[in-house]
Amino acid sequence: MPSPMGGGDGEPVMLAFLNARPDRYWIEAFAAERDAFKSEHRLSDLRLDSRGLVVTGPSGQLRSLTAHLRNFVHRVSRISLQRRVLERLTPGTSTGPGSAEHEAARRDIDLVSRMPAVAIILEEVSRATGMRFATVARVSDTRWTACAVYDTIDFGLRAGQDLALETTICNEIRKHGQTVVFNHASTHPLFACHPTPALYGFESYISVPIYLADGRFFGTLCAVDPQPRELDPATIQVLEDYARAIGVELDQASRHAVHGPAR
């Protein structure tokens, strides 16, 4: 949490405590994003020390900085996770299970990209829920990959990019196969203590499993927002219908890719 302090040179200082000690991925991402954030908010300094982030600047700037600084930390965390995943997934050889999974993910991303209905569905999901980031994610037992994205809040995730599987709620859905939804993570009896909403900086969330015709789990239809959103049962049902429609479309697109158009 940010707290004001007095700087040694008389200029006001804000200290933002981090939940964990930054690793090299976080530090690299912070270094890449720091100058742009300093410039945007007219800060004198922004640095890491043993306690967290130390921000120096005019008192008026610091008073209005809390929400922006929280979003900055979330953005750096997302970038650092993506760097970690990219390093993990970069194949050292052209054979083996990792390479096969990589190729399977690429095929599914390409498959979804050829389904124009998905873009329409994601925009409708955003409109229906009020959540400004929506995605179709491919979720396996080793990998979470965004196949299509609708983003009006600069969440920082594009189609083809991965998140660390173990940090996602979708990984839990892969195991239990149920829709997960909460309107306000900070006040939720379970998700107020769950690491994922805090890590990625969202308050409202819905994720619906997508199944193929043969019963195989493909992934999820997800929407999130940094602000609370109230989802009623009718809206949840609409998203579950969309997820079923995506599953049907995936089956048809897959058959078309294998056998070619019907003659």
Side-chain angles (χ1 to χ4, degrees):
M1 292 292 293
S3 60
M5 303 163 50
D9 59 359
E11 193 168 24
V13 173
M14 175 182 284
L15 176 62
F17 296 101
L18 301 175
N19 292 331
R21 186 178 182 86
D23 60 14
R24 70 176 180 88
Y25 301 97
W26 206 97
I27 293 170
E28 290 170 358
F30 169 78
E33 297 291 312
R34 175 182 54 196
D35 289 346
F37 187 81
K38 281 176 55 181
S39 176
E40 179 183 359
H41 297 283
R42 301 190 297 279
L43 302 173
S44 301
D45 193 24
L46 173 62
R47 60 184 174 84
L48 273 170
D49 75 0
S50 59
R51 296 164 294 177
L53 295 182
V54 180
V55 190
T56 307
S59 58
Q61 290 297 105
L62 297 189
R63 279 196 295 268
S64 61
L65 194 67
T66 300
H68 297 294
L69 189 60
R70 184 181 299 114
N71 290 338
F72 172 75
V73 169
H74 290 318
R75 184 167 70 252
V76 171
S77 296
R78 288 195 293 269
I79 293 169
S80 69
L81 281 169
Q82 289 166 6
R83 291 185 179 201
R84 187 182 300 116
V85 170
L86 182 61
E87 182 173 296
R88 180 192 304 174
L89 294 175
T90 300
T93 63
S94 59
T95 62
S99 178
E101 172 67 8
H102 181 74
E103 289 305 313
R106 294 307 310 171
R107 286 195 300 269
D108 286 339
I109 294 166
D110 183 64
L111 195 66
V112 173
S113 73
R114 298 172 185 271
M115 297 163 48
V118 169
I120 298 171
I121 286 174
L122 290 180
E123 187 170 356
E124 282 300 304
V125 165
S126 180
R127 183 195 60 77
T129 62
M131 300 182 190
R132 293 166 289 173
F133 177 87
T135 184
V136 170
R138 177 189 184 273
V139 186
S140 71
D141 60 354
T142 61
R143 188 171 179 179
W144 187 107
T145 306
C147 293
V149 168
Y150 179 83
D151 183 5
T152 62
I153 53 172
D154 193 24
F155 189 74
L157 188 67
R158 297 184 296 276
Q161 291 186 320
D162 288 68
L163 297 179
L165 178 68
E166 60 271 19
T167 69
T168 67
I169 296 172
C170 296
N171 188 39
E172 301 170 18
I173 295 172
R174 179 183 63 83
K175 298 173 183 177
H176 60 60
Q178 303 296 316
T179 295
V180 173
V181 56
F182 49 86
N183 298 324
H184 194 173
S186 297
T187 62
H188 193 279
L190 173 61
F191 288 99
C193 300
H194 196 287
T196 297
L199 176 63
Y200 291 109
F202 57 78
E203 286 288 345
S204 50
Y205 175 90
I206 182 169
S207 186
V208 183
I210 298 172
Y211 287 97
L212 304 178
D214 60 6
R216 284 182 297 133
F217 178 82
F218 174 84
T220 56
L221 172 63
C222 307
V224 305
D225 199 275
Q227 299 298 320
R229 297 287 186 259
E230 292 294 327
L231 298 190
D232 56 27
T235 302
I236 296 170
Q237 182 62 59
V238 167
L239 265 68
E240 290 177 341
D241 291 341
Y242 281 144
R244 280 191 289 272
I246 291 171
V248 171
E249 187 77 8
L250 279 165
D251 278 313
Q252 294 175 349
S254 181
R255 287 196 298 270
H256 186 278
V258 171
H259 302 294
R263 296 181 184 276

